[in-house]
Amino acid sequence: DSGVTQTPKHLITATGQRVTLRCSPRSGDLSVYWYQQSLDQGLQFLIQYYNGEERAKGNILERFSAQQFPDLHSELNLSSLELGDSALYFCASRDTSLETWYNEQFFGPGTRLTVL
Amino acid sequence: AQSVTQLDSQVPVFEEAPVELRCNYSSSVSVYLFWYVQYPNQGLQLLLKYLSGSTLVKGINGFEAEFNKSQTSFHLRKPSVHISDTAEYFCAVTPDSGGSNYKLTFGKGTLLTVNP
């Protein structure tokens, strides 16, 4: 158990719909990362938040957005869903309290999104 | 920008045989390197990491990897595999300076199947 939790575990929805994926980082971790794992694209970085602020952006579609709340949990919002958005979405968190040395990312179990 | 190439998408081996999973990377800056494992229907777990120092790093479950800067490689090895090692293995890199806030760039993955 990494200490990172993600809900829901599975999500089945229709094209055109909007969904919200939730991530709770490890206790005390200020940094949250979102990744998408799909069959054709592999594992890709989407976006990172640090203590409520967006810090880095990857290959995230404009239809997707994220935020990190004061309690440090994060949500990834996916709208106008398409068949190709079906994927496993991972959240990871990282301890940034010791910036003099690198601390690795710990991954949650993922949310499997199926768009029908 | 960084890129990671995992040269084999699938590697079948027999139990107790040695295995090597190959990883090459490309980067204009120095990087940290990682191997993650994903068991069926689970999240990503860190196997080992190279940050600095000795180029031979040991990880969990008897795995080890060797960083070769001149060949830009970070191959993963295990001298004797078990059925329980069947999983997908991902090589990943991140700039060591914190560029892009340590987002990970992953390879496409190698499915290791250990047969009895």
Side-chain angles (χ1 to χ4, degrees):
Chain A
D1 184 357
S2 67
V4 179
T5 60
Q6 289 186 250
T7 55
K9 195 167 183 176
H10 301 278
L11 199 47
I12 301 174
T13 189
T15 54
Q17 294 299 305
R18 173 190 170 93
V19 296
T20 297
L21 313 184
R22 182 187 169 107
C23 167
S24 293
R26 294 186 318 155
S27 177
D29 285 359
L30 299 179
S31 250
V32 169
Y33 302 76
W34 286 96
Y35 294 85
Q36 179 195 58
Q37 184 180 29
S38 62
L39 283 174
D40 50 349
Q41 299 291 329
L43 259 165
Q44 287 198 101
F45 167 72
L46 294 178
I47 198 164
Q48 180 216 355
Y49 276 80
Y50 174 80
N51 202 20
E53 292 186 4
E54 182 185 305
R55 276 292 180 92
K57 226 169 184 177
N59 297 324
I60 187 166
L61 300 171
E62 284 191 16
R63 300 183 284 109
F64 295 2
S65 65
Q67 52 186 329
Q68 186 179 27
F69 295 86
D71 67 352
L72 301 179
H73 90 270
S74 178
E75 293 180 356
L76 180 67
N77 301 295
L78 316 176
S79 61
S80 303
L81 285 167
E82 301 173 1
L83 295 178
D85 297 327
S86 295
L88 195 50
Y89 292 84
F90 286 109
C91 164
S93 74
R94 191 171 75 88
D95 176 8
T96 52
S97 60
L98 295 171
E99 284 296 358
T100 54
W101 194 246
Y102 178 83
N103 297 305
E104 65 260 30
Q105 295 178 31
F106 288 85
F107 282 77
T111 292
R112 184 169 293 282
L113 174 66
T114 303
V115 182
L116 301 175
Chain B
Q2 291 74 47
S3 67
V4 178
T5 302
Q6 291 185 241
L7 297 156
D8 306 295
S9 59
Q10 296 186 55
V11 173
V13 294
F14 288 109
E15 196 173 16
E16 297 182 8
V19 70
E20 178 179 81
L21 306 183
R22 297 179 292 167
C23 171
N24 286 88
Y25 70 94
S26 173
S27 176
S28 56
V29 298
S30 297
V31 294
Y32 295 146
L33 299 116
F34 310 86
W35 276 98
Y36 281 86
V37 60
Q38 184 179 25
Y39 297 104
N41 300 313
Q42 293 188 30
L44 294 161
Q45 181 183 6
L46 183 67
L47 267 182
L48 49 79
K49 62 189 177 192
Y50 173 79
L51 303 182
S52 67
S54 172
T55 57
L56 183 64
V57 292
K58 294 190 183 299
I60 61 172
N61 301 338
F63 284 93
E64 64 180 32
E66 185 151 23
F67 170 53
N68 187 318
K69 191 172 183 179
S70 62
Q71 297 187 8
T72 60
S73 68
F74 191 53
H75 300 333
L76 181 71
R77 301 184 185 102
K78 186 169 182 178
S80 175
V81 294
H82 304 289
I83 299 283
S84 59
D85 292 322
T86 294
E88 187 137 30
Y89 292 78
F90 293 92
C91 181
V93 302
T94 192
D96 66 3
S97 61
S100 294
N101 288 281
Y102 294 119
K103 74 170 179 85
L104 293 169
T105 299
F106 286 91
K108 294 282 191 187
T110 297
L111 179 62
L112 174 65
T113 304
V114 181
N115 298 300

